[in-house]
Amino acid sequence: MKLITLHTKNTTYQMGVNNLGFLLHLYYGPRAEGDMSFLLRTYDRGFSGNPYDAGDDRTCSADTLPREYPCYGNGDFRSPAFNVRNSRGVFGSDLRFKKCSTIPGKYSIPGLPAVYADKEEAYTTEIILEDESVGIEAVLRYGVLVESDVITRSVVIRNCGNDTLFLNKVFSTCLDFPDGEYDLLHFEGRHTMERNLERTPVIHGMLRFGSRRGTSSHQHNPFFILTDRETTEDHGSCYGMGLLYSGNFSFEVEEGQFNQTRMQIGLLDEMLDYPLNPGEEFYSPEAAMAYTDQGLTALSHIYHDLIREHVCRGKYKTGPRPVLINSWEAAYFDFNGDQLIEIARDAAKLGIDMFVLDDGWFGKRDTDNSGLGDWYVNEEKLGGPLSRIADAVNELGMKFGLWIEPEMVNEDSDLYREHPDWAYIIPGRKPVRGRNQLVLDFSRKEVVDYIFEQISSVIDKANVEYIKMDMNRSICDVFTAVEGYQNYGKIMYDYVLGVYDFIERLNKRYPDMLLEGCSGGGGRFDMGMLYYTPQIWCSDDTDAIERIKIQHGTSFCYPACTVGAHVSAVPNHQTGRTTDLKTRAVVAMAGSFGYELDLQLLTEAEREEVREQIVEYKKYQPLIYGGDYYRLSDPLKNTEIAAWAFVSRDKNEVLLNIVSLDTHGNEPTNYVRMKGLKPDGNYQCEETREIYSGAVLMHVGYPVPVIMGEYKAWQLYLTAC
Ligand code: GLA
C-alpha cells in the first residue's frame, strides 16, 4: 500500500492508497513511525457492496474502509464529506487517487481565511483525487505546522469535464477512526449566553451540529473536541476540529455499524447547490485539527497558540490593545455630541485609552427600527461632523473608535427606499424581520462596493482608529435580484466571501486600525473572523457571573486576547444582578479589557478603583495576552468558586483569579488547585508578600479567604522567588 505520512512534533497522521486507488485514513494520534495499514481488517460484510473493479474480492468495500474524503455514490453509506450532481440530476462520484506532492510552506485560500506560517514552520501536502466519468477532481490540501502540532485541511474542487456540475456537499475535513468509545465536547448557546460546554457520548447513529443562520452562530460554535470517555483537563486523548469560517456550517460525528467513528466538518450542505462550470474551481473553508494525549488544557493551549501566532494578523495581533470605553450600555441611542465628549472627558481622567462611539451616530437612528444602511453622520445629533467628536477625544489624549453594521438595512432608510432589491427578500413573499432589519445581499459585489465606499468616506473624514463591526440578525429569505441569476444554492457561501472581502478591504485601507468583530455579542466568534479581527465582542451579556461561564466555554478554543470583555453597570442590564466593581473588573480582565457604563454615576471611591484597575490591567496585559491560560474550575459544575490563571511561558509570573459563586454561614475554606507552576519553585504574592511552594499550590491549592458577601473576587499576582 502506498503510504502518505504527515508528522508534527508530537503527532502522526497517516493515509494509504489501496490497490484500487481508494485513499484510506489509517491513523491520527501520538507520534509513531512505520506502516499503520495493519489496522485495516476487511471481511465480506452483508449489505456493504463492493467496487466493480474489486472483481471477486467481496471484502473490499467503501462502506467499511476508513476513508480520507468519503464521497457519496461509491458504496459508502455513512455520511459523506462530498456530494455532487450533474445537470441531469445524477448524484455521486467515485473519487480515486491520482497523485500526491509536498512543498514547503503553508497554502493559502483565495478570498477565505486560512492559517498562515513561514516556509520553515510548515509544509503543504496536496493529494489529488479524481473521477473521470463525472469530470471532477478533489484536491485535498494538508497544512502541517510541525511545532504547533496542528494539521489544517481544505479542499479544492475542479470541474474538469464539459458540463456544469452542482456541489451539494463539500466538507473540509473528515477523520475516520476504526474503533473507540468517544465523548463529544461541543459549545451550545443562545444570544447573551454563548458557548456552554456540553459533553455527550458518541452513539451509533449521528450527532450533527451547525448553523443555518448565515453566521457561525450563538447556538453552536464551529469548534468540537472528541475525547476518550475518561479524558479530563489534565489527562487523556483529545482531537480538536475547528472551522475557519463565519457562515453556515455543519459538524457530524457518526458511529457506524462496526463501531467505527467518523468526525467531519465543513460548509452546511443543506441548501448548498453550488454550480461549477467547466474549468472552474471551488474552495472549501479551512479546518484546523489538533491531537494531544495530555488532556483538554493542553489542547486549548495548542489552539490558543495557533490563533495568536498563525490566525490573527496585523498591528494589534499580539497587543497591547487600548483599554476602551464603549457608549452602548452607557447611553444606548440617547446621546448628543456634547454628552459623548463628556463621557470621553471622564474616561480620560481615569486613564482609559479609547472612546468608542457605538450604535446611533448615523442616518436616522434614534432607535433600532431605522437608519441601517444610511452611513452618513447624523450631524444634527452630534452637533457637527464626526471629526468634532474624534478631535475632541484625541485632544484628551485618547483614540476614537466607531461602530458599524455594514451587512444590514432597515426598511426605514434611504438606502432601502432607493435599492429595495439589495435586501434579501424572496419575490412574492413577506420577509422575516430580525431586530426590524433586513440583510443586504453581500454576495453582490456592487452592494459591498457601495457600503464600503459609504463607510470609508466617513472613516476618512475623522481620525477613526478602531472599528467594531456588528451583525445583528440571522439570515433567511435568501434570494438575489440579479437578472439572469441561475442558481440560489451558492448565495450563502458567496455572502460570506462578500463579508470577508469587506473586512479585508478595511484592513488593507486602514492597516493600523484595530478591528473588533461582533454579532449581537458572540454570534460570529470563530477562527475565520479572527483572521480579520484580532478580537471579538464575546457576548452581549456583561454580567460578571454569566461571563465567567461564557468565557470558560470560549477558552477551550480561543485565547483571552481575542475576547472583548467590559465592566458594565449594576444592576446588570441583562440579568439585574449586582456584583462588586472589583468582581466585574477581574472577570473582564480575562480578555481585551474595557468599560461600558456611565462613569458619571460612579462614586469618587469607585472612580479611584477604576483608575487602579486600568493600571493593573496594563501591567498584566502581556501575561494575559501571551501567557498560558489555565481553567482551575468548571463553573458549570462547581457552584462555589470559579478560578482561572495566566502563567507566563517561563512560569515565573502568575495571575490567579478567583470569584465566589455562592456564600454560606460558617463557610468552609475553598482551595484552588493551581496548574502549570514550577513544582520545585516558590512563589511570592505581590500583595501579601507571603511565599508559597509551587508544588503545594498545585497539590493542595490556594486557600481562598472566607469573606462575607456574594460574588467576591480575588486577583493575586505571584512571582517566582
Ligand atoms: C449588538 C452589539 C452591542 C451593541 C448593539 C448596538 O447587540 O453586540 O454591543 O453594539 O448591537 O445596536
Side-chain angles (χ1 to χ4, degrees):
M1 183 171 291
K2 176 183 166 59
L3 299 176
I4 303 165
T5 307
L6 314 174
H7 288 297
T8 69
K9 193 168 78 179
N10 296 303
T11 70
T12 295
Y13 188 107
Q14 193 175 73
M15 296 161 269
V17 184
N18 79 358
N19 57 335
L20 300 182
F22 282 106
L23 182 64
L24 305 178
H25 179 78
L26 297 179
Y27 175 77
Y28 186 26
R31 193 172 165 122
E33 303 295 333
D35 179 345
M36 288 95 178
S37 62
F38 71 88
L39 293 168
L40 296 173
R41 290 287 182 251
T42 54
Y43 302 95
D44 178 2
R45 306 282 196 185
F47 290 85
S48 291
N50 318 106
Y52 202 83
D53 48 350
D56 292 338
D57 178 5
R58 291 178 26 164
T59 70
C60 175
S61 173
D63 203 25
T64 57
L65 288 165
R67 316 272 307 280
E68 188 60 21
Y69 197 61
C71 47
Y72 173 79
N74 69 349
D76 182 351
F77 295 95
R78 292 163 289 181
S79 185
F82 179 69
N83 194 11
V84 59
R85 73 174 170 88
N86 68 15
S87 51
R88 281 169 300 146
V90 179
F91 286 93
S93 58
D94 185 3
L95 294 170
R96 305 279 183 106
F97 180 82
K98 184 176 178 189
K99 65 178 185 194
C100 169
S101 58
T102 294
I103 50 165
K106 163 74 181 55
Y107 66 87
S108 57
I109 312 176
L112 282 167
V115 164
Y116 62 90
D118 289 343
K119 267 221 160 76
E120 314 73 55
E121 292 173 315
Y123 62 92
T124 295
T125 293
E126 204 173 89
I127 302 172
I128 303 183
L129 307 178
E130 68 173 347
D131 181 343
E132 277 182 37
S133 71
V134 176
I136 203 153
E137 275 184 4
V139 184
L140 313 185
R141 302 203 288 182
Y142 298 78
V144 183
L145 282 84
V146 179
E147 286 297 311
S148 307
D149 273 328
V150 168
I151 297 179
T152 69
R153 280 184 64 176
S154 75
V155 181
V156 187
I157 305 296
R158 277 187 201 136
N159 184 339
C160 310
N162 303 317
D163 292 327
T164 299
L165 296 170
F166 296 86
L167 305 177
N168 296 133
K169 190 169 186 182
V170 188
F171 267 23
S172 304
T173 190
C174 172
L175 283 178
D176 267 5
F177 301 95
D179 185 36
E181 292 208 318
Y182 296 108
D183 278 354
L184 179 75
L185 279 66
H186 69 110
F187 301 90
E188 59 83 31
R190 57 185 188 272
H191 178 225
T192 73
M193 198 62 222
E194 298 89 339
R195 291 174 292 286
N196 301 291
L197 169 63
E198 195 166 65
R199 183 169 181 156
T200 176
V202 175
I203 47 162
H204 288 96
M206 189 155 80
L207 297 169
R208 191 177 150 100
F209 307 83
S211 166
R212 57 179 76 80
R213 293 170 178 273
T215 55
S216 48
S217 88
H218 302 84
Q219 285 73 11
H220 296 287
N221 194 260
F223 176 71
F224 298 84
I225 306 171
L226 192 75
T227 66
D228 283 348
R229 290 270 153 85
E230 51 284 346
T231 294
T232 63
E233 281 282 4
D234 308 307
H235 304 282
S237 191
C238 335
Y239 294 90
M241 192 179 266
L243 200 63
L244 283 83
Y245 190 64
S246 312
N248 290 345
F249 76 96
S250 181
F251 170 86
E252 299 173 357
V253 59
E254 176 181 15
E255 189 169 345
Q257 54 181 334
F258 305 111
N259 309 331
Q260 335 89 300
T261 295
R262 173 167 292 174
M263 176 194 196
Q264 48 181 348
I265 198 165
L267 288 175
L268 177 73
D269 48 324
E270 277 173 30
M271 281 91 71
L272 182 73
D273 195 29
Y274 203 99
L276 200 64
N277 295 316
E280 283 182 353
E281 289 186 333
F282 175 88
Y283 290 87
S284 85
E286 178 167 89
M289 304 185 297
Y291 172 79
T292 176
D293 55 9
Q294 311 282 309
L296 294 162
T297 301
L299 187 76
S300 294
H301 289 172
I302 293 175
Y303 278 95
H304 292 180
D305 289 348
L306 179 79
I307 291 169
R308 288 187 290 213
E309 287 155 31
H310 300 285
V311 176
C312 294
R313 299 175 299 162
K315 180 178 161 190
Y316 287 100
K317 170 178 163 168
T318 49
R321 306 214 194 112
V323 172
L324 64 84
I325 173 114
N326 179 297
S327 67
W328 182 242
E329 286 196 29
Y332 295 100
F333 292 107
D334 189 14
F335 55 80
N336 61 37
D338 291 338
Q339 284 163 336
L340 296 177
I341 295 169
E342 226 15 75
I343 298 178
R345 189 165 292 139
D346 244 5
K349 285 187 206 143
L350 303 184
I352 292 175
D353 305 309
M354 181 162 74
F355 170 76
V356 175
L357 173 51
D358 207 279
D359 201 350
W361 57 267
F362 53 90
K364 193 183 114 211
R365 183 80 173 161
D366 290 324
T367 71
D368 57 10
N369 288 316
S370 63
L372 285 170
D374 293 343
W375 298 109
Y376 50 83
V377 177
N378 185 341
E379 297 196 359
E380 205 182 310
K381 186 170 179 178
L382 296 191
L386 192 64
S387 56
R388 176 175 106 87
I389 314 291
D391 291 349
V393 168
N394 289 162
E395 271 161 35
L396 293 163
M398 294 165 80
K399 294 180 192 298
F400 175 73
L402 198 62
W403 176 97
I404 58 171
E405 194 181 356
E407 297 150 78
M408 296 296 153
V409 66
N410 284 115
E411 286 155 277
D412 185 1
S413 69
D414 294 343
L415 180 70
Y416 184 76
R417 282 182 282 271
E418 208 174 309
H419 292 289
D421 59 315
W422 282 10
Y424 284 138
I425 299 178
I426 298 174
R429 285 196 223 163
K430 296 286 177 219
V432 172
R433 290 172 173 151
R435 209 191 190 199
N436 225 344
Q437 61 199 51
L438 302 178
V439 185
L440 287 172
D441 185 357
F442 260 44
S443 75
R444 289 170 67 174
K445 187 170 173 302
E446 70 268 39
V447 177
V448 177
D449 286 348
Y450 177 86
I451 298 292
F452 185 78
E453 252 147 54
Q454 298 298 304
I455 289 179
S456 54
S457 80
V458 170
I459 299 174
D460 289 344
K461 292 195 196 84
N463 187 21
V464 179
E465 296 183 76
Y466 157 106
I467 289 281
K468 173 177 171 191
M469 178 165 149
D470 211 338
M471 195 292 184
N472 277 321
R473 60 159 290 179
S474 303
I475 305 178
C476 61
D477 301 296
V478 172
F479 176 86
T480 207
V482 175
E483 217 174 300
Y485 201 83
Q486 287 298 322
N487 188 291
Y488 298 93
K490 75 199 282 279
I491 302 177
M492 287 322 297
Y493 172 85
D494 288 352
Y495 176 90
V496 177
L497 293 187
V499 172
Y500 288 151
D501 175 31
F502 180 90
I503 321 178
E504 193 60 353
R505 288 195 218 180
L506 278 182
N507 270 318
K508 289 234 162 78
R509 180 146 164 172
Y510 310 104
D512 290 338
M513 181 89 76
L514 172 59
L515 294 182
E516 176 155 348
C518 180
S519 173
R524 203 156 59 179
F525 203 121
D526 54 68
M527 286 192 274
M529 211 33 89
L530 289 172
Y531 180 74
Y532 302 95
T533 71
Q535 63 188 54
I536 298 175
W537 180 227
C538 185
S539 177
D540 271 348
D541 191 340
T542 57
D543 176 301
I545 304 306
E546 297 265 278
R547 267 297 184 114
I548 287 175
K549 295 178 193 148
I550 297 168
Q551 292 174 191
H552 173 82
T554 304
S555 78
F556 279 83
C557 181
Y558 308 98
C561 60
T562 64
V563 171
H566 300 167
V567 172
S568 63
V570 288
N572 179 267
H573 293 188
Q574 291 80 42
T575 62
R577 185 181 354 231
T578 296
T579 51
D580 291 353
L581 183 54
K582 173 163 184 184
T583 306
R584 282 172 273 155
V586 166
V587 175
M589 283 192 202
S592 191
F593 184 64
Y595 291 83
E596 190 160 335
L597 75 176
D598 185 348
L599 294 168
Q600 297 199 323
L601 300 179
L602 298 184
T603 62
E604 204 30 64
E606 287 172 326
R607 294 161 78 84
E608 190 47 42
E609 203 177 330
V610 168
R611 246 181 235 117
E612 285 163 17
Q613 287 169 354
I614 293 167
V615 172
E616 267 164 24
Y617 178 71
K618 288 186 177 171
K619 175 171 151 197
Y620 302 143
Q621 201 187 40
L623 182 55
I624 293 167
Y625 278 35
D628 288 330
Y629 179 85
Y630 288 92
R631 293 177 288 269
L632 303 177
S633 71
D634 178 351
L636 301 176
K637 291 202 186 114
N638 182 340
T639 52
E640 295 297 322
I641 281 281
W644 61 97
F646 298 93
V647 180
S648 65
R649 286 292 160 91
D650 60 11
K651 300 183 184 298
N652 285 334
E653 267 186 287
V654 182
L655 186 66
L656 170 63
N657 304 275
I658 305 167
V659 174
S660 65
L661 302 175
D662 206 349
T663 181
H664 308 282
N666 206 9
E667 170 113 30
T669 300
N670 286 294
Y671 288 81
V672 174
R673 264 196 215 171
M674 299 189 60
K675 294 180 181 178
L677 309 183
K678 292 195 263 193
D680 51 354
N682 285 327
Y683 290 86
Q684 182 166 41
C685 173
E686 186 182 54
E687 201 183 350
T688 63
R689 313 308 297 165
E690 277 185 320
I691 293 178
Y692 316 116
S693 140
V696 176
L697 283 177
M698 291 196 288
H699 187 65
V700 184
Y702 170 78
V704 183
V706 173
I707 47 173
M708 297 280 281
E710 265 191 321
Y711 310 127
K712 296 296 168 194
W714 296 262
Q715 190 170 52
L716 279 80
Y717 179 61
L718 311 174
T719 46
C721 58

